[in-house]
Amino acid sequence: MTRPLWRKQQALDLFDKPFNDLLFQAQTVHREHFDPNAVQVSTLLSIKTGACPEDCKYCSQSARYDTGLERERLLPLDEVRTAARRAREKGASRFCMGAAWRNPTDTQLERVIDMVRVVKETGMEACVTLGMLKPEQAGRLKEAGLDYYNHNIDTSAEFYDQVITTRSIDDRLETLDHVREAGINVCSGGILGMGESREDRASFLTTLANLERAPESVPLNMLVRIPGTPMADVPALDPIEFIRTIAVARILMPSSHVRLSAGREGLSEAIQAWCFFAGANSIFYGEKLLTTENADAAADEAMFEKLGLTPLIPEGCQLDEPADSAPASASA
């Protein structure tokens, strides 16, 4: 039976609910699908930084903007192995790797595949974000044991060309189709506070929710205003609106992990607590997210303790074994 699709107006009606009513509904949905006190923990590593040919107006890695970011080559495999082991020791269950490419060449992909295998050897889940993929490239990543592929749609179709002009939202959706067809879990979300309207946020969320299958992971970023980018001076989004967006995402995508991603270091502990109540159940853990600052790891541990939250260990992760002995075949 075909599931009903969400209409943008339905999402807007949710946004317009009284705050307490919206959060009560989101928390109710959340408890029907998840342990309300378990949070999935990921770590993100930039494996290739800078010189991206895209013109994403929020991004420090675009070669089109002078942000002071130096171009770096693809990280050596040993550095990735060391970073993955350190992430596991700090409690991460998923290790994500990002490369600033429009789309990887087959040669570049083979090097990333070696990195995926190194991460799998630790017992963690592996995720990469490499730009657009061809179907056969998605297949190669699946064969290597990749668990998740991240490719954000960033914003609504209506607002998209105000953010990026070097690729279309349809290009992004096509890559998500290739990932899904290869049997890899989809990680796709976007950035809030880029000057979009509430209607744009509703449209963005319904686009994700109405995919053939909603993404297993939905990262929601608060814009980090980076000097040198065209969005350096965009007014900040009201944190209450950010919480509302988390809640609407939870209701529209009840089985997805909703992740607090970039921009979290600018949110108070109290705002983050409201986000967890609204249905967020995943975070990036560690001091750096690609090129932007993230919340301090020790502060996150203290916050988890204060809120009674515990790290979620996904099925298939073998984190109870030493990293050197976890089999390379571990998968989600």
Side-chain angles (χ1 to χ4, degrees):
M1 182 177 178
T2 304
R3 64 185 171 91
L5 299 181
W6 287 95
R7 300 191 313 276
K8 181 170 68 174
Q9 187 58 52
Q10 289 176 298
L12 282 170
D13 290 344
L14 290 171
F15 270 105
D16 289 341
K17 280 193 166 194
F19 187 73
N20 287 344
D21 293 348
L22 174 60
L23 263 63
F24 179 78
Q25 182 175 346
Q27 176 65 194
T28 300
V29 170
H30 188 51
R31 286 174 177 268
E32 290 172 353
H33 293 84
F34 292 101
D35 177 344
N37 298 309
V39 176
Q40 189 275 325
V41 179
S42 297
T43 293
L44 178 61
L45 174 70
S46 179
I47 57 173
K48 189 273 177 185
T49 303
C52 180
E54 305 283 17
D55 69 348
C56 308
K57 292 181 174 62
Y58 54 79
C59 188
S60 64
Q61 301 206 61
S62 173
R64 297 164 187 257
Y65 314 129
D66 182 11
T67 63
L69 187 70
E70 294 187 9
R71 175 176 181 170
E72 297 177 6
R73 294 185 177 183
L74 194 64
L75 285 182
L77 190 61
D78 282 347
E79 288 189 31
V80 175
R81 179 182 288 109
T82 298
R85 289 175 174 171
R86 184 165 55 244
R88 176 186 156 150
E89 289 168 0
K90 290 187 175 183
S93 60
R94 185 180 308 159
F95 192 77
C96 307
M97 297 172 283
W101 292 321
R102 174 179 170 84
N103 49 277
T105 66
D106 290 340
T107 299
Q108 290 168 336
L109 190 74
E110 289 306 311
R111 292 187 62 186
V112 173
I113 283 172
D114 289 338
M115 297 177 184
V116 170
R117 290 174 176 146
V118 160
V119 172
K120 297 298 291 181
E121 288 171 0
T122 69
M124 290 188 294
E125 294 177 321
C127 174
V128 296
T129 179
L130 313 172
M132 294 182 289
L133 291 181
K134 296 179 287 189
E136 57 271 23
Q137 291 180 317
R140 288 286 294 119
L141 289 167
K142 174 64 176 177
E143 291 170 3
L146 186 71
D147 298 291
Y148 285 81
Y149 192 86
N150 168 259
H151 199 60
N152 291 337
I153 66 168
D154 283 343
T155 189
S156 69
E158 297 86 350
F159 191 68
Y160 193 85
D161 63 3
Q162 300 299 307
V163 180
I164 307 158
T165 65
T166 49
R167 71 171 96 171
S168 69
I169 195 168
D170 288 336
D171 291 331
R172 292 187 184 262
L173 293 171
E174 182 178 48
T175 288
L176 295 182
D177 286 341
H178 297 333
V179 170
R180 180 65 77 198
E181 289 165 4
I184 301 170
N185 291 312
V186 170
C187 174
S188 186
I191 303 172
L192 307 173
M194 296 190 290
E196 79 283 351
S197 66
R198 175 177 282 187
E199 188 167 332
D200 287 315
R201 288 187 281 278
S203 177
F204 153 67
L205 291 177
T206 54
T207 296
L208 289 175
N210 288 340
L211 293 174
E212 184 175 350
R213 196 162 116 209
E216 283 77 12
S217 184
V218 180
L220 295 179
N221 303 269
M222 181 78 93
L223 176 68
V224 178
R225 299 185 296 283
I226 298 171
T229 65
M231 291 191 170
D233 298 317
V234 173
L237 183 69
D238 186 331
I240 297 298
E241 184 70 8
F242 185 73
I243 297 169
R244 284 183 177 275
T245 307
I246 295 283
V248 175
R250 168 52 63 220
I251 294 166
L252 267 57
M253 294 171 278
S255 298
S256 302
H257 280 86
V258 177
R259 178 178 301 128
L260 298 181
S261 298
R264 188 166 64 87
E265 82 290 346
L267 300 177
S268 70
E269 197 172 76
I271 292 295
Q272 291 184 66
W274 278 112
C275 288
F276 291 126
F277 187 79
N281 61 343
S282 178
I283 63 167
F284 274 124
Y285 185 76
E287 288 75 27
K288 206 79 169 174
L289 293 184
L290 297 182
T291 62
T292 61
E293 298 302 316
N294 192 34
D296 177 78
D300 282 339
E301 290 175 3
M303 178 177 67
F304 270 40
E305 178 72 21
K306 189 179 298 185
L307 299 178
L309 301 175
T310 57
L312 172 69
I313 306 300
E315 290 183 18
C317 285
Q318 301 188 25
L319 304 184
D320 56 341
E321 300 179 20
D324 291 335
S325 66
S329 60
S331 60

